Amino acid sequence: MTETTKPTFQQATTVFMSTAGMPGRFESNFDFQLANALGSADNGGAATGECFATISKVTDGDLTGWYDAWAETARRVEGIGSECLAAGHEVSASEAFLRASTYWRSAGFFLERTDETRIPTWNKNRYCFRTGMELSGIPFETVEVPYENGKSLPGYFVRPNGAIERRATAIVIGGGDMTAEELYFFTGAAAVRRGYNALLVELPGQRGAYYSDPELTFRPDIHVQLGYVVDYLLTREDVDAERLSLTGYSMGGLFVPRAVAFEKRIKAAVTSSLTPSFVPSIRSLIGLDADDSDAQETDLESRVDLSSPMARLLLGDVRERFGMLDRPIKDFLDYLGEFDLWGLEDKITCALLDVGGAGEGDMSSDGHKFYERLTCEKRQRLIQEFEGGEAHCAVNNRSLANQIEFDFLDEVFAAGE
């Protein structure tokens, strides 16, 4: 595999930036979530007109208005799916249900942990996705990966049409707020088009796993959790054990390196973006200085910016899923530090690709520092603003990101034959 030319990674001042490739309809994180919904359109998970019609009713920062607008669209499009199915139009029904799943996910994104609509909204996302996929004609399975103490991890296995044969298989995970359903539009569909199987799975603490079983909270031994996933895949006759990859987005950009540092059955890794520590970004998003060097700081509760929807999400729903809801913010940040990658650089031995975006700011800088210390076969690709995929996880150009990701995996697996 030849080394590709890498654009220079430069430090920026914010985690999420308003850049040329973004919708520019909102100044808040609403704009990023709109871009995320629009990106699903590439693989049938949204319609651009429906998205823009929805956000025309939303005032920036109005969380109730955000939920109401997306839920209204979701109900209407889900209704189209039900009507089409009743009339025997299965293709039309599938398409409508898949779009509705994205709209329900978007509606529920900012719901706080005390909101009684949080779990029902997530369930509607799951129902619409599963119904749409079952009608799609794509080989699709809802799976429960056997886990500890009789528990299981939820996910989906999708594969290309045709004969059962051992294929390269991409394990795909999200981060703090992505769902397995969303990952199909993000990466799963692209994998299948290229002849890969895809296992879209949620680890303990991720929304689907935790909402189904609140005992499943985030914990730092990611390699143990992914070990169960690999064990499951190796029981399947359609999985090639020598061509297993692991891709992770957002917080998954930390989970993936942490896993492959110890789980050597995974032969290639993709991060978007490589994240050596959660702490600086989380601090920034909740309104604190990203520098966490002051170990004695106390009373952070009085200093965080709870006017920010992202801060409330991180300190409510996300902190709950880390099992730290009843602990002070400082304890939460200290626990996040236990997930750090620093010191694991030499333990990562499989080929690794890091895909970053020029709009990610400080996240790119920290990831590049860690990348430079890696001793494994590695590549790094920064998507620039002029390419229209510069946002976090390239939500605004998943087609380009998928091309970069799977071309890399193709070359890694071809070199190993």
Side-chain angles (χ1 to χ4, degrees):
M1 220 173 28
T2 59
E3 182 78 8
T4 57
T5 301
K6 302 185 290 291
T8 302
F9 276 61
Q10 295 179 334
Q11 184 169 353
T13 57
T14 57
V15 176
F16 298 110
M17 301 164 62
S18 177
T19 48
M22 294 294 284
R25 299 295 289 263
F26 302 106
E27 294 183 1
S28 71
N29 189 261
F30 281 11
D31 210 53
F32 179 81
Q33 294 306 323
L34 170 59
N36 196 15
L38 289 167
S40 297
D42 288 351
N43 291 310
T48 56
E50 288 172 344
C51 291
F52 281 116
T54 299
I55 58 96
S56 71
K57 307 168 188 175
V58 178
T59 300
D60 200 3
D62 178 4
L63 296 179
T64 299
W66 174 271
Y67 172 83
D68 289 344
W70 284 105
E72 179 183 354
T73 298
R75 287 189 199 96
R76 181 178 61 79
V77 177
E78 181 182 346
I80 292 171
S82 297
E83 292 171 3
C84 291
L85 183 58
H89 306 304
E90 292 193 355
V91 172
S92 296
S94 172
E95 292 175 351
F97 280 119
L98 292 176
R99 301 200 311 278
S101 73
T102 294
Y103 305 149
W104 281 122
R105 185 201 62 77
S106 298
F109 184 84
F110 292 107
L111 291 178
E112 297 189 29
R113 56 171 299 276
T114 56
D115 195 314
E116 63 183 13
T117 61
R118 180 182 67 157
I119 303 301
T121 300
W122 168 76
N123 277 325
K124 290 174 182 176
N125 155 68
R126 173 178 272 191
Y127 164 76
C128 287
F129 176 78
R130 291 181 175 181
T131 303
M133 288 300 294
E134 287 164 1
L135 294 169
S136 69
I138 297 168
F140 163 82
E141 301 171 40
T142 296
V143 301
E144 296 289 336
V145 176
Y147 189 57
E148 298 170 349
N149 302 317
K151 297 182 181 297
S152 61
L153 303 177
Y156 304 104
F157 189 90
V158 289
R159 64 173 180 84
N161 281 301
I164 299 294
E165 58 182 272
R166 296 196 182 276
R167 297 178 182 271
T169 301
I171 306 166
V172 186
I173 60 173
D177 52 49
M178 296 182 77
T179 66
E181 294 80 21
E182 179 183 5
L183 290 171
Y184 173 76
F185 306 115
F186 224 72
T187 302
V192 169
R193 285 197 298 273
R194 291 166 170 83
Y196 285 69
N197 303 318
L199 178 65
L200 319 170
V201 66
E202 296 193 49
L203 302 180
Q206 295 181 319
R207 289 194 179 200
Y210 179 82
Y211 291 170
S212 298
D213 185 347
E215 292 185 2
L216 294 176
T217 56
F218 285 113
R219 66 190 211 200
D221 59 346
I222 306 298
H223 65 287
V224 173
Q225 300 156 48
L226 264 298
Y228 287 98
V229 174
V230 175
D231 288 345
Y232 162 74
L233 285 174
L234 297 185
T235 67
R236 299 184 60 107
E237 61 180 12
D238 48 4
V239 170
D240 184 345
E242 297 304 313
R243 293 186 294 162
L244 290 181
S245 65
L246 176 61
T247 297
Y249 300 104
S250 195
M251 283 185 175
L254 185 152
F255 295 151
V256 165
R258 195 162 183 86
V260 300
F262 303 100
E263 177 48 79
K264 300 304 181 182
R265 292 174 294 179
I266 296 170
K267 307 302 183 183
V270 177
T271 58
S272 179
S273 294
L274 184 57
T275 306
S277 176
F278 293 148
V279 178
S281 294
I282 298 298
R283 289 180 63 93
S284 179
L285 287 166
I286 63 176
L288 300 174
D289 190 318
D291 180 9
D292 63 347
S293 60
D294 182 3
Q296 304 304 314
E297 63 184 359
T298 58
D299 193 26
L300 295 181
E301 280 70 15
S302 67
R303 295 166 50 193
V304 299
D305 178 17
L306 291 179
S307 67
S308 162
M310 279 303 296
R312 294 205 298 276
L313 178 70
L314 289 166
L315 294 177
D317 179 84
V318 174
R319 181 162 53 152
E320 175 187 17
R321 290 186 279 117
F322 273 90
M324 301 293 290
L325 187 63
D326 60 346
R327 304 292 291 277
I329 292 173
K330 184 180 185 306
D331 289 355
F332 175 43
L333 295 173
D334 288 345
Y335 184 52
L336 292 178
E338 295 182 24
F339 290 73
D340 280 8
L341 297 180
W342 303 111
L344 297 179
E345 296 90 339
D346 292 340
K347 296 184 182 299
I348 298 170
T349 54
C350 69
L352 183 144
L353 166 69
D354 177 40
V355 182
E360 292 187 283
D362 294 344
M363 296 176 71
S364 296
S365 176
D366 291 343
H368 185 60
K369 292 175 184 176
F370 186 85
Y371 173 87
E372 287 295 301
R373 301 182 187 183
L374 291 174
T375 57
C376 62
E377 182 178 4
K378 60 186 180 180
R379 292 189 195 178
Q380 194 171 51
R381 173 68 154 85
L382 180 71
I383 301 178
Q384 300 285 357
E385 188 170 352
F386 74 86
E387 297 178 276
E390 75 280 13
H392 183 52
C393 300
V395 296
N396 54 337
N397 195 342
R398 291 305 306 155
S399 293
L400 174 60
N402 290 154
Q403 173 249 306
I404 295 167
E405 293 160 358
F406 283 100
D407 288 0
F408 166 77
L409 294 177
D410 285 349
E411 293 174 26
V412 170
F413 292 143
E417 291 178 352

